[in-house]
């Protein structure tokens, strides 16, 4: 009994020893996991800033910067765009800007390292700490770091100085002459526009100088409902004075905080060496990252322990377990299931802060992206803030990420890529991939956008293939799991084929085509045929539509988007024309199975100091939402009706308030089967809906205010929208501005609507803008004798006709005319006008009757209508017929003769 008791006691003591040892190890591990091996000091306040060049003494202590501006970082000195005029904050200065910051640094333990991190600085930056040059970085969009340990006064006061320079590439002596982008359709804002921080690590750490990346990368090797294999690559660095042995622990953690897979490895770290470790983690029954349907995220945590179990470093990154395949005929497959991708592109700027946007601004943008129903975003044309990729991961958005190789691949004045430019492009690609490879939302790496556009315009010669091939190989080497892509504008269009313009299609795994048919020339009805042609031309390369769109101005409106010529590089840009181009483009893109994705250009208006278009200055107005994010244009709701299943009804033309015509087609965007329309409580009818568009044609408006309501039933829910339009005039009264996309109110207060009710002919502008960016209409050529010159700024030309709905009765038609050909003489143009099919004017010779070209002439025709439609036909007999404006007014009733005394 005693022996058994002694034996039992011995066993218990041994058991307790094992438990105690296990508890000690567990407690040590738990404590280690709670320790934060890195510290970060945000350097956001207390900065002084000077725009322009500064004295070299500004790098050192003792320099008086009291006259410099006090700023906080993020900070950008440029402000432009978003308004009809340039406000007091407008700033388009390009060149250097200097920043100085005095800060107290934390103390450093033995062998600890200090790193200065810049999340982005534009465009070329030089950094000094306490007078010592830490380094130079060329590129505006990626994170970069410098080892600050030797120059830092640990525990003391420090001076940080940064010179940022956003000089244009073609400026004399520009430091950006071989830094991409060399060119682009957006301004390069200057400044420390993303956060700056000081990071302290231990001597053994994950590599801080791996192109600004986290030092770890996780990749899904295979995945299905039963299991997944995750490959983890870690880059370690030992900056201590002696070698060490470390344990690398990689863990996959689910959303509840549970470790669901792990791998461990012990490795020797030589002094100063960078060591790469590859580990594999198996997951059982993983929850897949499934786009917007289920964007489930794990966390990949990799920790570095010393021999005693103390944590030396820790990095966490998002992990989405998913597979992606893009087929040239069937499109994109996510986790083995086809996913039709439809979305938008985004630029990062804001009118009030430039590029210095905060997390709240980025979150607002992505909330609008989800509101419209997009499931993919092209983050153009450069690396965006990490918050954008984080939100895309969490929302399940598919991302096209790219570098800013735009318009050309050579420096100004050169036709070939220089070695320095090629090296910079590769550097920025390596930064993009190193910093973002862990984001499951990213499915393609973009290596260029419209790289031969400058050559297509005849300004240079394009030899882009060597650089693109190099970048493609670099991307495939760094990340073989993702396809490469580029956005093509030129070279694959037969009409552009010429010497000096190369074709870049076929170089990358997949491709996007920027196609603006109906906007930058061509017919919008040919979008589908063009994409089909390209698919046949490159049958093994999956294609997408990387850009399509049109400008839309909130204050410019059209009664008929086909009524006159559009000036993409000028004015006007009627909101209704934007609707038309996007409606027709999407109808043709949607049914094509081989188009793996499409992106509208752009979700938001954005700045461009070379554009003076639509109703804005310094702004590209192709956005579906205004630059300040306050107003969603009509076209936004067209896509929402097609992409977002949430019940919606939106009356189109809500800003086209003042109406010139007593009859209008009521258009509504809705995802309902039909909508009911009423005016002032009176039922107008029901409009069926197709492709998100519901139209009730030929609705009569009444003089004054017209309160229009549209409603649709979604189960037990009724959704409605309302607008108020004002009609100038009354039944049978029409004033038509022929050949023009927008109407005008004359000096006499008469409202002429844009050209409508016509068939045939062609709209012409008297003073068109130049066919280049930022072009206002040139000097006007006024028409002599005009009551109001605005009526003679355009005309319809050719053989054409008008059919205008009016009540039966007698009308007076007034034709406003002028001879638009400056060298025309009497007899060089003659045409007939028919009213209700009968000759009304025969052999009209404007130049002869007006006394020469550019002289106003009016002709009046009485017309009797008996079938509800007033018709006018213009037929040229010598040269084409023309008309500038048409007035149709009911003929006043003849007064009874009065009796007078003799």
């Amino acid at each position: 009994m005693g022996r058994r008791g002694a034996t039992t006691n011995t066993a218990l003591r041994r058991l307790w020893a094992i438990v105690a040892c296990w508890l000690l190890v567990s407690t040590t591990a738990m404590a280690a996991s709670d320790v934060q091996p890195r510290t970060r000091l945000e350097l956001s306040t207390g900065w002084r800033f000077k725009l322009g060049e500064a004295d070299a003494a500004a790098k050192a202590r003792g320099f008086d910067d009291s006259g410099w501006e006090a700023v906080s970082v993020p900070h950008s000195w440029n402000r432009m765009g978003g308004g009809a005029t340039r406000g007091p904050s407008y700033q388009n200065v390009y060149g250097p800007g200097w920043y100085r910051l005095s800060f107290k640094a934390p103390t450093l333990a033995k062998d600890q390292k200090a790193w200065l991190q810049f999340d982005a600085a534009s465009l070329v930056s030089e950094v000094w700490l306490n007078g010592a040059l830490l380094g130079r970085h060329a590129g505006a969009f990626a994170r970069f770091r410098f080892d600050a340990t030797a120059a830092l006064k640990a525990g003391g006061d420090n001076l940080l100085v940064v010179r940022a320079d956003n000089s244009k590439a073609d400026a004399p002596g520009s430091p950006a002459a071989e830094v991409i982008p060399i060119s682009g359709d957006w301004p390069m804002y200057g400044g420390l526009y993303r956060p700056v921080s000081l990071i302290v690590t231990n001597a053994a750490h994950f590599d801080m100088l791996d192109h600004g990346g986290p030092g770890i990368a996780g990749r899904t090797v295979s995945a299905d409902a039963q299991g997944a294999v995750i490959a983890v690559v870690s880059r370690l660095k030992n900056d201590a004075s002696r070698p060490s042995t470390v344990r690398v622990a990689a863990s996959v953690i689910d959303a509840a905080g549970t470790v669901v897979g792990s791998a461990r490895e012990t490795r020797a770290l030589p002094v100063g060496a960078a060591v790469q470790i590859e580990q594999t983690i198996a997951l059982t029954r993983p929850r897949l990252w499934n786009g917007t349907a289920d964007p489930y995220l794990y966390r990949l945590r990799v920790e570095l322990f010393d021999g005693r179990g103390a944590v030396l470093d820790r990095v966490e990154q998002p992990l989405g377990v998913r597979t992606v395949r893009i087929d040239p005929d069937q499109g994109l497959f996510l986790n083995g299931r086809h996913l039709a991708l439809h979305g938008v592109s985004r630029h990062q700027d804001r009118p009030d802060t430039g590029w210095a946007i905060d997390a709240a601004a980025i979150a607002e943008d992505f909330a609008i992206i989800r509101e419209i129903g997009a499931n993919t975003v092209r983050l153009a044309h450069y690396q965006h803030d990490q918050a954008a990729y984080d939100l895309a991961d969490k929302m399940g958005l598919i991302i096209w990420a790219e570098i800013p190789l735009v318009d050309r691949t050579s420096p100004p004045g050169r036709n070939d890529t220089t070695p320095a430019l090629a090296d910079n492009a590769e550097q920025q690609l390596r930064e993009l991939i190193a910093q973002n490879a862990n984001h499951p939302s990213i499915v393609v790496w973009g290596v260029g956008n419209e790289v031969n556009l400058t050559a297509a315009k005849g300004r240079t010669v394009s030899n882009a293939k060597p650089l693109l091939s190099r970048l493609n190989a670099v991307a495939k080497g760094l990340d073989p799991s993702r396809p490469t892509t580029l956005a093509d504008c030129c070279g694959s269009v037969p009409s552009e084929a010429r010497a000096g313009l190369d074709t870049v299609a076929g170089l990358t795994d997949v491709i996007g085509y920027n196609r603006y048919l109906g906007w930058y020339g061509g017919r919008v009805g040919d979008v589908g045929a063009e994409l089909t042609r390209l698919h046949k031309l490159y049958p093994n390369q999956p294609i997408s539509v990387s850009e399509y769109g049109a400008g839309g101005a909130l204050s410019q409106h059209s009664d008929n988007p086909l009524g006159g010529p559009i000036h993409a590089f000028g004015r006007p840009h009627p909101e209704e024309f934007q609707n038309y181009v996007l409606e027709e483009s999407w109808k043709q893109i949607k049914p094509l199975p081989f188009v793996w994705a499409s992106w509208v250009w752009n979700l938001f208006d954005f700045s461009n100091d070379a554009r003076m278009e639509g109703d804005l200055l310094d702004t590209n107005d192709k956005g579906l939402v205004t630059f300040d994010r306050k107003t969603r244009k009509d076209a936004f709701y067209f896509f929402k009706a097609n992409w977002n299943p949430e019940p919606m009804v939106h009356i189109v033309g809500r800003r086209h308030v003042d109406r010139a015509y007593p009859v209008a087609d009521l258009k509504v965007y809705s995802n309902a089967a039909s909508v009911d329309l009423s005016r002032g409580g009176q039922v107008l009818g029901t409009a069926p809906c197709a492709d998100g568009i519901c139209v009730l044609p030929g609705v009569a408006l009444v003089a004054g205010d017209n309160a229009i309501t549209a409603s649709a039933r979604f189960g037990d829910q009724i959704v409605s929208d309302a607008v108020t339009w004002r009609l100038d005039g009354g039944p049978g009264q029409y004033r038509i501005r022929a050949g023009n996309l927008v109407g005008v109110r004359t000096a006499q207060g008469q409202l002429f609507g844009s050209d409508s009710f016509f068939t045939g002919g062609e709209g012409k502008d008297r003073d068109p803008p130049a066919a280049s960016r930022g072009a206002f209409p040139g000097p006007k050529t006024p028409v002599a004798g005009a009551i109001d010159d605005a009526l003679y700024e355009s005309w319809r030309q050719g053989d054409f006709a008008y059919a205008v709905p009016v009540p039966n009765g007698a009308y007076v038609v007034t034709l406003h005319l002028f001879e638009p050909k400056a060298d025309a003489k009497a007899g060089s143009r003659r045409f007939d006008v028919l009213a209700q099919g009968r000759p009304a004017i025969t052999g009209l010779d404007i130049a002869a009757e007006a006394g020469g070209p550019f002289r106003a002439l009016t002709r009046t025709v009485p017309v009797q209508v008996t079938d509800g439609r007033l018709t006018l036909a213009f037929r040229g007999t010598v040269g084409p017929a023309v008309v500038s404006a048409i007035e149709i007014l009911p003929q006043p009733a003849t007064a009874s003769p009065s009796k007078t005394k003799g």
Side-chain angles (χ1 to χ4, degrees):
M1 186 75 177
R3 278 183 68 87
R4 289 177 60 192
T7 303
T8 302
N9 288 337
T10 300
L12 285 172
R13 282 196 298 271
R14 289 174 178 170
L15 178 61
W16 280 115
I18 293 170
V19 171
C21 181
W22 178 82
L23 287 172
L24 178 62
V25 172
S26 298
T27 304
T28 302
M30 291 172 61
S33 66
D34 290 337
V35 172
Q36 297 300 322
R38 293 187 179 191
T39 60
R40 180 191 298 266
L41 175 64
E42 298 292 342
L43 304 177
S44 57
T45 59
W47 290 85
R48 310 291 290 186
F49 170 71
K50 180 184 185 300
L51 180 58
E53 198 56 88
D55 192 281
K59 306 170 190 175
R61 293 179 179 276
F63 179 80
D64 182 10
D65 61 12
S66 60
W68 291 20
E69 180 184 359
V71 300
S72 296
V73 168
H75 171 264
S76 176
W77 63 74
N78 295 112
R79 300 284 187 279
M80 62 190 78
T85 59
R86 291 170 175 162
S89 64
Y90 172 77
Q91 177 60 274
N92 73 334
V93 171
Y94 297 91
W98 285 76
Y99 295 85
R100 286 169 50 95
L101 174 70
S102 296
F103 70 97
K104 187 175 182 62
T107 58
L108 298 182
K110 182 181 179 181
D111 286 339
Q112 280 192 313
K113 299 284 292 182
W115 314 86
L116 275 169
Q117 175 170 295
F118 298 82
D119 286 359
S122 179
L123 169 67
V124 176
S125 304
E126 295 173 281
V127 178
W128 295 266
L129 181 62
N130 298 319
L133 177 65
L134 296 187
R136 176 182 184 270
H137 182 265
F141 305 105
R143 180 194 305 121
F144 60 95
R145 303 185 183 110
F146 294 121
D147 185 347
T149 310
L152 187 74
K153 294 184 178 180
D157 294 330
N158 291 263
L159 174 67
L160 175 61
V161 179
V162 182
R163 181 186 186 274
D165 193 323
N166 70 333
S167 293
K168 294 186 176 183
D170 58 358
S174 173
E178 295 175 295
V179 179
I180 66 170
I182 300 300
S183 177
D185 194 19
W186 77 93
M188 294 295 294
Y189 286 75
L192 300 179
Y193 71 92
R194 291 184 190 152
V196 179
S197 57
L198 179 74
I199 299 173
V200 176
T201 70
N202 288 306
H205 54 83
F206 295 103
D207 194 354
M208 295 289 286
L209 298 180
D210 181 23
H211 295 93
I216 69 170
R219 176 174 62 87
T220 303
V221 177
S222 62
D224 58 27
Q226 301 307 310
V229 176
I230 308 300
V232 181
V233 176
S234 303
R235 289 178 57 88
L236 313 179
K237 188 73 184 296
N238 181 14
D239 285 319
S241 57
R242 59 187 181 278
S244 63
T245 300
V246 297
R247 180 165 55 90
V248 182
S251 304
V252 175
I253 304 166
D254 67 13
T258 303
V259 175
V260 295
S262 61
R264 303 286 185 270
E265 183 170 340
T266 300
R267 183 65 66 91
L269 288 185
V271 174
V275 176
Q276 183 167 297
I277 294 179
E278 298 179 4
Q279 297 171 291
T280 300
I281 300 175
L283 302 180
T284 302
R285 292 187 295 278
R287 185 169 169 182
L288 303 183
W289 188 88
N290 222 3
T292 57
D294 184 16
Y296 187 82
L297 287 173
Y298 294 91
R299 299 291 296 174
L300 174 63
R301 175 187 292 167
V302 186
E303 296 172 295
L304 195 61
F305 296 94
D306 66 12
R308 298 170 300 170
V311 62
L312 298 174
D313 203 3
R314 178 188 301 120
V315 174
E316 287 194 10
Q317 287 286 288
L319 174 66
V321 181
R322 55 52 163 185
T323 62
V324 173
R325 176 175 64 89
I326 305 178
D327 184 88
D329 297 314
Q330 301 177 68
L332 182 137
F333 291 79
L334 177 63
N335 302 320
R337 295 184 178 181
H338 181 261
L339 180 61
L341 293 179
H342 48 262
V344 293
S345 297
R346 171 188 181 260
H347 266 300
Q348 67 181 358
D349 55 339
R350 293 281 185 122
D352 52 346
T353 58
W355 280 355
I357 56 176
D358 58 17
I362 297 171
E364 180 185 23
D365 283 5
F366 275 76
I368 296 172
I369 290 169
R370 290 303 294 131
E371 178 191 347
I372 200 175
N375 61 5
T376 181
V377 184
R378 183 181 176 205
L379 291 177
H381 288 298
Y382 39 75
Q383 183 172 331
H384 286 231
D385 191 280
Q386 281 298 306
Y389 301 104
D390 289 339
L391 285 170
D393 292 342
K394 294 173 183 177
M395 293 179 173
L397 297 165
I398 300 293
I399 297 297
W400 167 320
E402 63 188 89
I403 60 170
L405 183 63
V406 181
D407 286 4
R408 57 187 298 161
T409 58
S410 59
R414 299 285 296 270
N415 289 332
D416 290 327
T417 306
T418 59
L421 189 149
D423 290 346
N424 182 260
E426 179 176 329
Q427 167 209 309
Q428 294 198 43
L429 179 61
R430 288 182 177 276
E431 290 170 335
L432 175 72
I433 295 175
Q435 295 173 30
N436 297 286
N438 292 309
H439 291 290
S441 55
I442 297 175
V443 301
V444 290
W445 298 119
V447 299
N449 176 78
E450 299 185 350
V451 294
N452 47 15
L453 177 62
T454 306
K457 295 179 177 179
R459 299 173 184 170
T460 187
V461 171
S462 177
N463 185 22
K465 287 183 179 181
L467 177 58
L468 292 176
S469 297
R470 171 178 169 178
L471 296 175
N472 185 71
V474 169
K476 299 303 293 182
L478 292 172
D479 183 7
S481 69
R482 288 181 173 94
T484 55
T485 190
L486 60 82
D488 169 81
C489 70
C490 320
S492 56
V493 179
S495 62
E496 292 179 341
R498 63 172 179 80
L501 177 60
D502 54 355
T503 298
V504 298
L507 294 177
T508 50
D509 296 325
V510 302
I511 194 169
Y513 289 103
N514 297 352
R515 291 297 183 265
Y516 290 91
L517 296 179
W519 184 248
Y520 294 130
R523 293 179 58 256
V524 69
D526 291 338
V527 168
E530 168 67 1
L531 295 174
T532 300
R533 181 187 72 83
L534 292 166
H535 179 50
K536 291 180 180 179
L537 195 61
Y538 302 98
N540 298 318
Q541 185 179 41
I543 73 171
S544 65
V545 183
S546 38
E547 294 181 22
Y548 66 105
L554 296 185
S555 67
Q556 295 169 348
H557 297 285
S558 182
D559 301 286
N560 184 339
L562 303 180
I566 188 68
H567 298 295
F569 296 116
R571 304 181 174 191
H573 288 176
E575 191 174 5
E576 291 75 16
F577 192 88
Q578 181 184 49
N579 299 345
Y580 164 70
V581 169
L582 292 173
E583 288 172 12
E584 295 303 313
S585 296
W586 173 246
K587 288 177 189 176
Q588 297 169 74
I589 294 168
K590 178 183 176 181
L592 298 177
F594 56 81
V595 174
W596 66 268
S598 62
W599 293 271
V600 177
W601 186 265
N602 195 286
L603 181 56
F604 305 108
D605 290 347
F606 60 94
S607 59
N608 185 312
D609 57 353
R611 287 183 182 263
M612 300 177 183
E613 301 167 1
D615 57 2
L616 301 173
L617 288 179
D618 308 312
T619 307
N620 188 315
D621 64 352
K622 293 189 189 72
L624 304 177
V625 181
T626 53
F627 196 9
D628 59 9
R629 277 62 170 174
K630 292 181 180 178
T631 303
R632 288 148 177 77
K633 302 179 188 179
D634 279 341
F636 177 93
Y637 294 96
F638 166 69
F639 288 108
K640 185 175 181 179
N642 279 274
W643 297 347
N644 189 337
E646 178 184 347
M648 62 145 296
V649 172
H650 173 83
I651 299 175
V652 180
R654 63 197 319 102
R655 282 168 286 276
H656 188 8
V657 174
D658 293 316
R659 298 284 174 148
Y661 302 140
V663 174
D665 294 343
L666 297 189
K667 181 192 286 188
V668 176
Y669 293 145
S670 178
N671 47 18
S674 62
V675 295
D676 298 321
L677 290 149
S678 62
R679 184 196 61 223
Q682 176 187 0
V683 174
L684 296 173
T686 298
C689 303
D691 298 316
I693 305 171
C694 329
V695 179
L696 190 64
V699 173
L701 303 180
V702 298
D705 287 350
N706 290 256
I708 307 295
T709 300
S711 61
R713 179 176 291 277
F714 299 84
D716 295 332
Q717 180 185 10
I718 295 178
V719 178
S720 62
D721 189 26
V723 299
T724 297
W725 295 338
R726 284 188 301 272
L727 173 63
D728 250 46
Q733 297 183 20
Y734 291 83
R735 292 182 171 91
I736 301 171
R737 194 183 189 198
N740 211 301
L741 277 178
V742 296
V744 65
R745 191 177 292 278
T746 66
Q748 294 73 35
Q750 297 170 333
L751 181 62
F752 280 71
S754 69
D755 204 354
S756 194
F757 310 105
F758 61 85
T759 55
E762 181 183 8
K764 293 285 188 179
D765 278 338
R766 187 187 67 194
D767 306 302
S772 61
R773 293 173 183 168
F776 277 124
K780 290 192 174 184
T781 310
V783 171
I787 298 174
D788 192 309
D789 190 63
L791 297 184
Y792 299 88
E793 290 178 344
S794 61
W795 67 93
R796 180 154 294 279
Q797 175 175 299
D799 285 349
F800 53 92
Y802 285 83
V804 183
V806 296
N808 291 340
Y811 291 86
V812 176
V813 175
T814 301
L815 305 180
H816 296 266
L817 309 140
F818 81 102
E819 172 53 60
K821 195 173 180 181
D823 59 353
K825 296 180 172 55
S828 61
R829 184 194 309 273
R830 289 195 182 94
F831 59 93
D832 301 333
V833 180
L834 288 74
Q836 304 304 100
R838 298 185 180 89
I841 302 175
T842 302
L844 179 57
D845 185 337
I846 302 174
E849 293 194 28
F854 285 88
R855 293 177 176 274
L857 175 70
T858 58
R859 294 291 298 268
T860 301
V861 177
V863 180
Q864 186 71 36
V865 176
T866 59
D867 58 358
R869 196 163 298 273
L870 190 152
T871 63
L872 299 170
F874 295 76
R875 299 288 182 264
T877 55
V878 178
V882 295
V883 67
S884 293
I886 303 170
E887 290 185 82
I888 301 173
L889 299 175
Q891 184 172 320
T894 303
S896 299
S898 57
K899 294 182 180 180
T900 58
K901 292 182 180 179

